[in-house]
Amino acid sequence: MPINEVRAFNRFYTNLIGALDYSKHLYTPYSLTESRVLYELAHSPRTDAADLRAELSLDAGYLSRLLTKFEREGLVGRAPSEVDPRRQRITLTPRGREAAALLDERSREAVGALLEKVPAEERPRLVEAMRTVREILGRGRAAHREGPVMREPGPGDLGWVVQRHGALYAAEYGWNADFEGLVARIVADFAQDHDPHLERVWIAELDGRPVGSVMCVRDDAPATARLRLLLVEPDARGHGLGDRLVSAVVDFARDVGYRELVLWTNDVLAGARRIYQRAGFTLVAEKPHRSYGVDLVGQDWRLPLQKGTVE
């Protein structure tokens, strides 16, 4: 009886989400497997081919053919892994990130349409039932990655970045609303006018909730990117998430051709400064100032990347 019920559920759910004809279901040219590979690449700053095989339980030959197709279409780039040259590092190109973002948007719309058919009072029970299925069937299955995953911002995430910066910096450092206003302007400028090929925001997510953020934007100086708005929630610290967020910015800035990455911070943010130092940033200038209702020492940090083409 349990076997029959599980098989019946599988048939029901694959039909419900259009798994058998996923490209038609989401109006995209990608199959379910192709979409999942793009999702994994979009939610990790660096992924080896071996990581993808392990995470998705894919045949090595099939994955190789799929990645070759993606490379031919300009969606991914392949290079020897920095950790182990015998492994291949797979990264999304700007075109690949656009494809992954489109898939994510279409998937959100499809799930949203599905949930609209469920009465509001029954949605918590549905979500809890799904969580229960994952927990029970996921026991004993080793997680491929530790800690949170990173993704593109969705609806409401940029507002969350502003709110959490204001609340956390007020609680931990006593900064006033001027700081939240600064963050709001930075986020608004990005939302209203940014180049998706050269600028990006990452949201770190843990157990379905946002727990961190970082931003890469163009600086006024030629071929220079600026890292901004690094944040990790207190209960998500200790996973190396800050390092992963900064590494995502560094890898992205290097991949798109920036020659230099810069940032501005304050000396009281000791934890963030240690992350920047581990990533290779060098302190190049500091200056006392009074901002956000307190006396601070502002610091400029710099990381050379490569000779690039971004101007």
Side-chain angles (χ1 to χ4, degrees), residues 16 105-124 126-127 130:
L16 190 67
E105 179 183 354
R106 296 279 173 82
S107 180
R108 286 174 178 270
E109 291 174 352
V111 173
L114 183 64
L115 289 176
E116 285 181 358
K117 302 174 184 177
V118 180
E121 64 273 14
E122 292 186 11
R123 291 173 192 171
L126 173 64
V127 172
M130 290 180 165

Side-chain angles (χ1 to χ4, degrees), residues 7 19 33 53 59 77 79 98 102 135 140 179 187-189 203 239 244 255 270 276 278-279 296-297 301 305:
R7 293 185 65 192
T33 303
R53 288 198 301 271
D59 173 77
E98 288 181 355
L102 175 63
E135 289 176 355
F179 177 66
V187 169
D189 289 342
I203 299 295
H239 293 280
R244 288 182 59 191
D255 288 344
Y276 302 142
R278 288 195 293 270
L296 299 165
V297 177
W301 293 72
L305 296 172

Side-chain angles (χ1 to χ4, degrees), residues 175 226-227 262-274 276-277 281-289 292 296-302:
W175 293 6
R226 180 167 292 273
L227 185 153
V262 298
L263 65 89
W264 182 83
T265 188
N266 287 281
D267 66 337
V268 296
L269 307 180
R273 289 191 293 110
R274 287 193 292 270
Y276 302 142
Q277 288 174 318
F281 283 85
T282 301
L283 177 64
V284 294
E286 52 186 352
K287 180 181 179 180
H289 66 105
Y292 325 130
L296 299 165
V297 177
Q299 298 181 330
D300 290 294
W301 293 72
R302 172 179 177 269

Side-chain angles (χ1 to χ4, degrees), residues 131-209:
R131 185 179 294 116
T132 300
V133 170
R134 293 203 316 270
E135 289 176 355
I136 293 175
L137 295 183
R139 288 173 187 165
R141 183 175 181 235
H144 173 55
R145 298 185 182 91
E146 295 182 359
V149 297
M150 283 181 279
R151 59 172 174 77
E152 300 280 348
D157 282 330
L158 294 181
W160 174 87
V161 171
V162 176
Q163 188 272 330
R164 292 312 296 156
H165 270 80
L168 276 179
Y169 281 82
E172 296 186 341
Y173 301 102
W175 293 6
N176 63 24
D178 292 344
F179 177 66
E180 187 171 353
L182 171 66
V183 176
R185 288 191 294 275
I186 293 171
V187 169
D189 289 342
F190 178 88
Q192 292 170 6
D193 182 23
H194 74 277
D195 184 339
H197 296 285
L198 300 175
E199 299 173 293
R200 192 177 176 191
V201 172
W202 290 260
I203 299 295
E205 187 176 273
L206 178 64
D207 296 331
R209 64 186 180 92

Side-chain angles (χ1 to χ4, degrees), residues 165 169 213-214 227-232 242 245-246 272 275-276:
H165 270 80
Y169 281 82
S213 70
V214 74
L227 185 153
R228 310 196 81 163
L229 303 185
L230 175 66
L231 177 141
V232 179
L245 286 165
V246 171
I275 293 172
Y276 302 142

